Amino acid sequence: MPQLDPDRLFPLEARSRAIARELYSGISSLPIISPHGHTDPTWFADNTPFANAAELFVIPDHYVFRMLVSQGITLESLGIPRADGGPVEKDPQAIWRLFADNYHLFRGTPSQLWIDHSFEHVFDIRENLNGATADHLYELITDKLATDEFRPRALFERFNMEVLATTESALDTLDAHKALANSDWNGRVITTYRPDAVTDPEFDGFIDNVRQLGILTGCDTSTFSGYLDAHRARRLYFKQHGATATDHGHPTARTEDFSDADITRLFTRVMSADCSAEDADAFRGHMLTEMARMSLDDGLVMQIHPGSLRSHSRTIAEKFGRDKGFDIPTPTGYVRALQPLLNAVGLEPELTIIVFTLDETAFSRELAPLAGVYPALRLGPPWWFFDSYEGMRRFRETTTETCGFYNTAGFNDDTRAFCSIPARHDVARRVDCAYLGTLVASGRMREEDAAEVARALTYDLAKKSYKL
């Protein structure tokens, strides 16, 4: 007997629910387009079995461990590797027991929906996870992971994935992607160019990173023109290894379009000990405009992910490094922040800039009106903290009337946890069908049009937006 309600996330009103159910039946089996995420490409290059249940569900997933930490459970006890080399729990079954004992903390959250979906649809588990079932489910999952049917490539195929994009630093050698290209496997796993380490002067080791960029490309990165040439070379290198997009994670959405003389002076300051916080922010802003111009030349889609205060806890950042769950949303403005960029390239129909936000108040007030008029601009789906039933529903309610459906970029899962990919896409498909079912039931859309929109939101828009 399935644990999950087959009508989960559909409207409560009977007619709307029936329409949503019918729409969902038409798109539920479409292939998954996963154009932005953070899974490890070596999983697919090496095709080594996942070691155990803890390494699959707990250790890579900051959604999981941030909730546990909020209840006083330490990252060390969850086996999260420490940047400073300090001791952490090494027994994966002990980590799993701790997770299971506290699984009740995820009630009502997207994480429980994703994990329960993975248990049922990937591992055929019909039992609830708790302290009493922890060892049994650990052994069941871990035993299955040791079989060929649960190797990364086999799961990729079982998940019906058409394409999966990973995200690599501008300084990455892309060895895993090279190995995939030389393998006999036909699964499409592509890279994404993430240049933050060499465009953000506040990134750890920025000056050394820029020098390394010069060494990798043979360009003179001590000059701004040589530095730009180095980016062009790396973008081409990434494109040759499958990339169709870039990704930029900035503290704000600020963009700038400085004169040659002004940016040359600014570059000199950011490459010295005299760089101020204002210099760093201004430089990041100008580089977004430079990256957009490069996208006009090389065709890469541009993604901007602003508004996260990274590593809010200095202690956690020092002990564990970046991306360990202590990133917090901040209020973010877009109308004035994006104006220099959009004045420079916003009317270019061949350019695609996908903008995300962690500030929901910006959707109806700023982002939907901007995407509803600038040809280059598309809205990314609700991201991180808002990739939930409520967040996705609010996104459609606050943006559709102003920018419609076709100025959005479909769905992406933005995950590090591989088995959550089909679960996250299923949630998005159900939420979109629920919203469309309500539109049809209230006389705001014809059912045949809703069926076309459901397919677009599930498959066509992501494929088109990311040039896949």
Side-chain angles (χ1 to χ4, degrees), residues 132-241:
T133 62
D135 285 348
H136 167 63
L137 294 185
Y138 177 87
E139 291 164 5
L140 187 155
I141 293 169
T142 302
D143 287 348
K144 286 189 175 185
L145 289 175
T147 66
D148 287 344
E149 291 81 7
F150 285 82
R151 287 177 181 264
R153 293 181 184 181
L155 289 175
F156 183 101
E157 293 164 2
R158 187 171 11 138
F159 294 166
N160 194 23
M161 300 194 69
E162 184 171 314
V163 61
L164 170 69
T166 64
T167 306
E168 278 72 52
S169 161
L171 303 177
D172 197 288
T173 60
L174 303 186
D175 287 344
H177 289 279
K178 293 176 190 175
L180 279 166
N182 292 326
S183 73
D184 59 1
W185 184 55
N186 293 323
R188 189 179 179 193
V189 178
I190 63 176
T191 186
T192 301
Y193 184 64
R194 180 77 175 242
D196 297 0
V198 289
T199 58
D200 181 359
E202 294 180 320
F203 201 100
D204 288 344
F206 170 75
I207 293 174
D208 287 339
N209 293 342
V210 172
R211 290 174 181 149
Q212 180 63 25
L213 180 68
I215 293 169
L216 280 173
T217 60
C219 298
D220 180 7
T221 54
S222 68
T223 70
F224 187 66
S225 61
Y227 168 78
L228 293 183
D229 286 341
H231 276 291
R232 294 185 184 99
R234 289 304 283 171
R235 289 167 65 103
L236 177 60
Y237 181 78
F238 272 64
K239 192 172 178 179
Q240 290 168 340
H241 289 84

Side-chain angles (χ1 to χ4, degrees), residues 211-281:
R211 290 174 181 149
Q212 180 63 25
L213 180 68
I215 293 169
L216 280 173
T217 60
C219 298
D220 180 7
T221 54
S222 68
T223 70
F224 187 66
S225 61
Y227 168 78
L228 293 183
D229 286 341
H231 276 291
R232 294 185 184 99
R234 289 304 283 171
R235 289 167 65 103
L236 177 60
Y237 181 78
F238 272 64
K239 192 172 178 179
Q240 290 168 340
H241 289 84
T244 68
T246 69
D247 186 37
H248 310 269
H250 287 200
T252 71
R254 177 179 178 176
T255 64
E256 297 288 356
D257 190 15
F258 295 125
S259 68
D260 290 345
D262 285 344
I263 189 56
T264 298
R265 285 191 291 269
L266 178 57
F267 182 69
T268 299
R269 292 199 299 275
V270 302
M271 290 295 291
S272 74
D274 295 329
C275 177
S276 67
E278 167 58 23
D279 286 339
D281 199 38

Side-chain angles (χ1 to χ4, degrees), residues 13-31:
E13 187 271 318
R15 182 161 180 255
S16 299
R17 171 170 283 215
I19 297 167
R21 188 187 298 127
E22 181 65 21
L23 292 171
Y24 175 76
S25 71
I27 54 91
S28 61
S29 62
L30 285 173

